[in-house]
Amino acid sequence: MPVDPFVLPDEVAALPARLGIEGFFDVHTHFMAPPVMAKVRQYFDDAGPLLGRPWPLTYRGDETELVSQLGALGVRRFSALSYAHKPGMAEFLNDWADAFADRVPAVLRCGTFFPEPEATAYVGKRLAGGVELFKVHVQVGAFWVTDPLLDESWGQIAEAGVPVVLHAGSGPVPNEFTGPAPVAELLRRHPGLRLLFAHAGAPEYEEFLGLAERYPGVGLDTTMVFTSFFDEMDSPFPDRLLGRLAALGDKVFLGSDFPNIPYPWWHQVEVLVALREREPLLDDAWLAGVLWHNAERLFESRSAGSAP
Ligand SMILES: [Zn+2]
């Protein structure tokens, strides 16, 4: 069968009708200001030290092309995650993401923050401006989530109930700041946070799953997990945890890492569909939640509750 990264295979194309969902809701996609995107692409092309492997990107279009490619793949809502790796950068990224959300109705209004003295003020400003989703990347940012400079921001975000995609697992390459322990401490301080663990917390699946089970607002995104690329290179998601993944129910969200992936976007969906062969509880109802309903509920209830 020919593989076209821009066209859904029939089985995936048939899913929305079969599951009774409007389309796909991808909570973990990356759109960022063109100069930043160019640097990110260069990094993947060079297979940077945080990657630890070759990473040939499948999608290289400009913003307009990428948006229409997602639309053609049936993705009705998506995010625009960016993340800062140094001080003084987050608000540049946030301004761009804000304008992008104004231009593209399907996109969630996204933001990021970094441990710096200005964080409390600009996080407050973004919350007042209707930010719908934050992204924090502990591995790239190289900071403690428990940094005192972030304490007020976490408090504000918890109070507002705005979700945060948090890349805190030690994949693809660990550093001293990654892993579940600092996140467990963060949740002890702010138990109301709505954290979505990127890549299901890989490779510390069990510990991050445990946090998601324990805290009502905490869940996982599927980004790259179960794909053949990920399974070959990293410690795959263990079969013995699949029942617990099913039990997490409405706290599991489709994420893909589009466009920075070395395989077609739809491969992520395909591998989620195939999970039922390993665990029957990962059935159509679970899938409909992951691919659409869970995120729709999370973000629609927020925008309904916070409409001006
Ligand atoms: Zn990502």
Side-chain angles (χ1 to χ4, degrees):
M1 197 179 70
V3 169
D4 184 339
F6 304 101
V7 178
L8 293 179
D10 292 345
E11 310 88 281
V12 178
L15 275 174
R18 179 158 80 74
L19 299 174
I21 58 178
E22 282 174 47
F24 305 110
F25 197 139
D26 189 337
V27 302
H28 193 137
T29 60
H30 293 287
F31 286 86
M32 40 193 107
V36 184
M37 190 63 130
K39 279 192 187 148
V40 168
R41 283 178 173 161
Q42 190 61 51
Y43 191 80
F44 282 105
D45 291 344
D46 296 345
L50 299 184
L51 300 171
R53 72 207 60 186
W55 202 292
L57 297 176
T58 306
Y59 302 95
R60 291 180 166 275
D62 63 20
E63 169 194 317
T64 310
E65 290 165 333
L66 294 173
V67 167
S68 73
Q69 285 160 9
L70 275 182
L73 293 168
V75 180
R76 296 285 162 264
R77 302 293 318 273
F78 54 95
S79 60
L81 304 180
S82 44
Y83 39 86
H85 64 276
K86 59 183 185 195
M89 185 182 175
E91 274 289 83
F92 167 76
L93 299 170
N94 292 340
D95 281 340
W96 187 89
D98 215 35
F100 182 59
D102 287 338
R103 286 197 293 282
V104 183
V107 80
L108 295 168
R109 193 172 300 279
C110 294
T112 191
F113 51 92
F114 192 83
E116 52 195 335
E118 301 81 5
T120 305
Y122 68 70
V123 167
K125 184 182 91 177
R126 296 295 165 184
L127 289 169
V131 68
E132 295 173 284
L133 178 65
F134 282 109
K135 167 73 186 281
V136 170
H137 203 312
V138 171
Q139 191 211 13
V140 172
F143 57 80
W144 298 108
V145 288
T146 50
D147 190 313
L149 285 167
L150 290 179
D151 201 50
E152 277 192 68
S153 299
W154 289 121
Q156 290 174 296
I157 291 166
E159 198 174 323
V162 171
V164 181
V165 171
L166 179 63
H167 182 143
S170 298
V173 176
N175 65 27
E176 62 180 310
F177 310 99
T178 58
V183 180
E185 174 55 26
L186 175 66
L187 285 166
R188 266 192 292 275
R189 294 185 197 171
H190 302 283
L193 278 171
R194 287 187 168 175
L195 302 181
L196 311 184
F197 297 135
H199 314 285
E204 292 106 339
Y205 300 107
E206 185 154 21
E207 293 87 344
F208 282 105
L209 189 60
L211 291 172
E213 288 165 341
R214 181 163 169 195
Y215 292 94
V218 176
L220 311 171
D221 82 32
T222 64
T223 307
M224 301 191 82
V225 185
F226 307 113
T227 64
S228 44
F229 178 77
F230 209 68
D231 279 2
E232 279 159 26
M233 301 296 220
D234 289 276
S235 45
F237 193 95
D239 275 358
R240 66 188 164 78
L241 299 180
L242 288 173
R244 289 169 64 185
L245 186 70
L248 214 51
D250 61 1
K251 300 202 295 178
V252 182
F253 300 86
L254 171 66
S256 70
D257 249 342
F258 177 93
N260 301 331
I261 41 177
Y263 45 77
W265 175 87
W266 44 258
H267 178 53
Q268 181 74 61
V269 177
E270 210 175 44
V271 296
L272 294 174
V273 174
L275 284 177
R276 74 189 58 200
E277 291 156 26
R278 291 161 63 185
E279 169 53 69
L281 291 171
L282 299 169
D283 56 9
D284 276 0
W286 180 83
L287 202 56
V290 172
L291 298 180
W292 181 260
H293 294 305
N294 299 346
E296 213 263 345
R297 214 174 289 130
L298 180 64
F299 293 102
E300 293 318 308
S301 68
R302 282 211 67 268
S303 50
S306 64

